[in-house]
Amino acid sequence: MMKSLVFVETAEGKVKKTSLEAVAYAHGLGGAVTVIALGTADAQALADVGKYGASKVLHASDAALNEPMVQLYTSVIEQAMRAEGTEVLVLANSSLGSPVAAKIAVRFNASLAANVVELPRPGAACIVKRSIYTGKAFANVELKNAIKVITLRKNAAEAHEVGNPVAVTPFAPSLANVDANVKITAVEKATGDILLPEAEIVVSGGRGMKGPEHWGLIEDLAKTLGAATGCSKPVSDMHWRPHHEHVGQTGVKVAPQLYLAVGISGAIQHLAGVNSSKCIVVINKDPEAPFFKAADYGIVGDAFDVLPKLNEAFRAAK
Amino acid sequence: MKILVCISHVPDTTSKISFVDNGTRLDSNGVQFIIGPYDDYALARAVELKESNGASVTVLNVGLSDTEPTIRKALAIGADDAIRVHAEPADSFFVATQIAAHAAGYDLILMGRESIDYNSGVVHAMVGELLGLPSFSPVMSLELSDGVVKMAREIEGGKESLEASLPLVAGCQEPIAEWKIPNMRGIMSARTKPLKVVDPVAVEARVRLDGYELPPPKGAVKMIAADNVGELVQRLKTEAKVI
Ligand SMILES: Cc1cc2nc3c(=O)[nH]c(=O)nc-3n(C[C@H](O)[C@H](O)[C@H](O)COP(=O)(O)OP(=O)(O)OC[C@H]3O[C@@H](n4cnc5c(N)ncnc54)[C@H](O)[C@@H]3O)c2cc1C
Ligand SMILES: Nc1ncnc2c1ncn2[C@@H]1O[C@H](COP(=O)(O)O)[C@@H](O)[C@H]1O
């Protein structure tokens, strides 16, 4: 029974889905689960984390923590771990969670596993399965040291409601000026309300869409489905779509319930970004397109013909 | 200015991955090994900075002698010298400790955002922590102006602009630089550039490999006629249960 601490990330005050998955994962470990959130956040949203298995929620609400500064965040989480006697730190693998995990592992002489996909295998040793070779394989690794740090790949656990909201306990760490030499000068957030990395449904277009002027077809379908839009690398290289929409090994790794790929050939580097999707649908005019081999459902047809019909059918089924 | 570029030696992205010895070792038969693609961006940016600002570029790899052709390729691309820490890269902490042991005196320590074999994306932050230096990843652009380093970092659904001072550690990704292809002169000169082999510092790995496995094979794709898209909608609802 390991005492765990989960670092949850918030966006616009709300707890991110990937962080709720981390809470669910920690709950699955069987020991007491404490959660920590940093910076301004919605009190009810934090209390509700109790529903997913947390027995205690710490909130360090100092406005100095509103900017995600890695050193400062690491120091606060370190203080929380010492105060709580944490044995395992669990967090979502993200641009913030990953460096925090690495630094905590160094400070606590901890064993670290990144991109973990399942709960530890039953038994005395803590052996977890992690994704390697860009989704092409798994490694089972034993976390040997007393303190353990686990970062999760998306969909490693499902956030189910298992309990009730809990009281939020204020946490007042000492806030040293540890990021003195670092300044965040600007943050550009992608427009649109559904963020690609967190989306449940993604509609993605490739070079087969022929040009940016045809993206309305992709966007219309995405709108009907409440989906985020993605693309292949050449599409963002040619500036048909912004860089942060490109999916694959060198781009975003998505893990939605449904990934709809239109006019994308299915190169291995693209597949590397989508292979944790639950269900893949491929629309391509070439029956030999490699993507069909990685798909659950396929339609051989012209995107310009199939997309409007598909949009109509999804709309009718609502 | 002194730049250290840490490179991993990994199977080419298109390699078919399989394991031998009861799932404890990669089957390297027919696998072509390359500089990690993200590490290649780091190297390309280092060589650009050398050309524009003047710098020396050292590459470092933690690996056994089979990584030397990969290190020579980095020298051919434009690094000046190389260090190989003679050890199996046991885990991220082991690698980070070896890198940190050689990083003194470097202004910029560049790596890839992640190695494409273990994909942990943590070695740079560990090295930063061990050395007491700030670390950033994944860095999409890196410019030097009057001792200030201006960077852009990819964050979930967006981009963060940062300023920091040297020395620092950065994990790189595109479009930080264009990959460089070695030319004939580079290849010739790489043969005689210094490649120093050093013993590892003693440190115990914190993670033990129990074994590798492959994902279960994917079931066959179900094809649906283009003039019957309603069937797809139905199946996504009732069979796959994803909408
Ligand atoms: C190191 C490295 C990293 C890379 N990283 C990535 C990455 O992260 N993400 C990524 O996507 N790529 C990446 N690539 C590029 C990748 O190898 C492919 O080149 C790329 O994915 C191909 O994009 P595409 O499928 O859109 O285009 P294409 O390969 O040109 O395929 C277009 C497809 O559209 C179909 N088509 C054409 N017209 C129609 C129509 N009217 N209706 C329906 N279908 C149509 C064609 O049959 C074809 O299958 C990387 C490459 C390298 C070397
Ligand atoms: N064996 C190694 N030798 C040198 N550098 C490495 C090695 N392994 C990883 N790195 C560097 O650390 C970065 C992050 O690796 P990782 O944390 O394994 O994803 C890589 O992109 C490399 O730049």
Side-chain angles (χ1 to χ4, degrees):
Chain A
M1 293 296 175
M2 288 183 285
K3 281 184 79 171
S4 59
L5 182 75
V6 182
F7 162 46
V8 298
E9 293 183 51
T10 57
E12 271 115 49
K14 299 273 180 274
V15 177
K16 289 191 177 175
K17 176 176 170 255
T18 46
S19 291
L20 291 179
E21 289 173 1
V23 176
Y25 183 94
H27 178 70
L29 291 173
V33 179
T34 302
V35 156
I36 184 160
L38 279 62
T40 307
D42 181 68
Q44 190 57 47
L46 293 187
D48 281 348
V49 176
K51 292 189 200 166
Y52 299 96
S55 50
K56 185 172 178 185
V57 173
L58 302 175
H59 185 200
S61 59
D62 199 303
L65 296 166
N66 284 353
E67 273 198 342
M69 302 300 284
V70 170
Q71 290 283 26
L72 186 59
Y73 269 43
T74 306
S75 139
V76 173
I77 289 163
E78 175 185 354
Q79 292 173 59
M81 285 175 71
R82 299 209 191 276
E84 295 293 314
T86 301
E87 293 160 280
V88 52
L89 174 70
V90 181
L91 18 70
N93 193 347
S94 69
S95 63
L96 181 58
S98 175
V100 167
K103 284 167 175 288
I104 289 287
V106 172
R107 290 187 193 182
F108 283 85
N109 184 25
S111 294
L112 167 90
N115 288 315
V116 169
V117 297
E118 275 174 13
L119 282 168
R121 167 198 295 185
C126 179
I127 299 181
V128 291
K129 188 193 271 197
R130 53 180 303 254
S131 168
I132 57 168
Y133 291 108
T134 325
K136 285 194 265 187
F138 299 102
N140 292 299
V141 295
E142 180 186 346
L143 304 181
K144 295 193 295 181
N145 291 13
I147 298 192
K148 306 172 202 318
V149 178
I150 292 176
T151 77
L152 299 179
R153 194 175 74 166
K154 270 168 257 173
N155 293 346
E158 250 178 83
H160 290 302
E161 295 198 10
V162 292
N164 296 312
V166 291
V168 176
T169 313
F171 184 68
S174 74
L175 299 174
N177 188 11
V178 280
D179 289 289
N181 290 332
V182 181
K183 199 162 74 196
I184 297 177
T185 51
V187 175
E188 271 172 53
K189 279 280 179 190
T191 48
D193 15 78
I194 304 147
L195 288 183
L196 181 58
E198 299 235 318
E200 293 289 353
I201 303 181
V202 176
V203 182
S204 225
R207 196 142 60 180
M209 290 303 297
K210 305 281 192 283
E213 66 278 17
H214 299 130
W215 236 260
L217 289 169
I218 298 279
E219 281 165 342
D220 286 347
L221 182 57
K223 204 158 168 215
T224 304
L225 290 168
T229 55
C231 65
S232 67
K233 184 168 182 285
V235 165
S236 64
D237 286 348
M238 292 182 293
H239 305 290
W240 295 0
R241 299 298 293 174
H243 175 77
H244 62 252
E245 269 196 16
H246 114 242
V247 170
Q249 185 189 299
T250 50
V252 182
K253 295 181 181 69
V254 297
Q257 292 287 307
L258 174 60
Y259 187 79
L260 250 150
V262 189
I264 302 178
S265 58
I268 192 141
Q269 295 90 356
H270 187 83
L271 298 183
V274 306
N275 53 22
S276 343
S277 308
K278 180 146 181 250
C279 177
I280 295 177
V281 174
V282 169
I283 299 165
N284 196 303
K285 70 174 186 192
D286 173 10
E288 301 298 321
F291 217 149
F292 285 120
K293 289 206 183 68
D296 297 283
Y297 299 98
I299 295 180
V300 176
D302 190 317
F304 300 97
D305 165 46
V306 175
L307 278 175
K309 283 200 247 164
L310 198 55
N311 193 10
E312 211 33 66
F314 276 120
R315 221 181 292 173
K318 268 195 160 174
Chain B
M1 188 167 69
K2 288 179 72 181
I3 307 176
L4 182 67
V5 182
C6 304
I7 59 167
S8 55
H9 159 89
V10 294
D12 173 32
T13 47
T14 57
S15 308
K16 194 167 151 26
I17 298 297
S18 61
F19 302 101
V20 290
D21 293 350
N22 220 352
T24 56
R25 204 166 53 79
L26 177 77
D27 184 0
S28 54
N29 225 326
V31 171
Q32 174 161 11
F33 284 84
I34 56 169
I35 302 174
Y38 299 107
D39 317 353
D40 226 353
Y41 285 120
L43 177 62
R45 187 67 191 123
V47 172
E48 283 178 5
L49 288 170
K50 170 177 153 175
E51 284 160 3
S52 62
N53 296 38
S56 70
V57 177
T58 303
V59 288
L60 184 153
N61 167 260
V62 181
L64 299 177
S65 50
D66 59 324
T67 70
E68 286 197 7
T70 302
I71 299 175
R72 289 278 173 215
K73 181 165 177 222
L75 292 170
I77 287 172
D80 301 297
D81 59 351
I83 303 169
R84 181 171 69 82
V85 179
H86 184 70
E88 190 87 58
D91 73 354
S92 319
F93 181 72
F94 178 88
V95 171
T97 306
Q98 306 308 326
I99 294 171
H102 294 278
Y106 288 95
D107 305 289
L108 255 185
I109 301 165
L110 299 183
M111 307 191 193
R113 72 175 280 175
E114 65 184 36
S115 58
I116 62 157
D117 48 0
Y118 299 122
N119 304 111
S120 295
V122 294
V123 167
H124 25 73
M126 285 184 170
V127 169
E129 182 66 23
L130 289 166
L131 297 170
L133 297 180
S135 66
F136 308 90
S137 181
V139 174
M140 302 158 71
S141 68
L142 185 151
E143 304 292 336
L144 301 174
S145 61
D146 298 329
V148 179
V149 188
K150 294 190 177 175
M151 285 168 285
R153 192 171 79 95
E154 184 166 323
I155 55 172
E156 285 69 26
K159 192 169 106 177
E160 181 183 81
S161 303
L162 294 146
E163 283 180 13
S165 48
L166 295 172
L168 60 81
V169 184
C172 306
Q173 74 166 31
E174 64 151 24
I176 196 165
E178 294 275 346
W179 281 330
K180 296 202 169 359
I181 297 159
N183 57 27
M184 209 49 197
R185 219 180 81 215
I187 294 167
M188 296 305 288
S189 68
R191 292 188 189 152
T192 54
K193 285 180 180 172
L195 192 172
K196 190 166 73 177
V197 180
V198 297
D199 284 328
V201 294
V203 54
E204 210 179 314
R206 296 171 173 184
V207 170
R208 182 188 66 85
L209 175 74
D210 190 67
Y212 298 112
E213 58 184 88
L214 293 173
K218 185 109 188 162
V221 54
K222 302 187 180 96
M223 298 307 290
I224 289 160
D227 53 9
N228 194 12
V229 294
E231 186 191 339
L232 175 67
V233 176
Q234 270 319 310
R235 281 180 176 240
L236 291 177
K237 264 202 157 146
T238 54
E239 194 174 67
K241 299 192 174 64
V242 289
I243 56 166

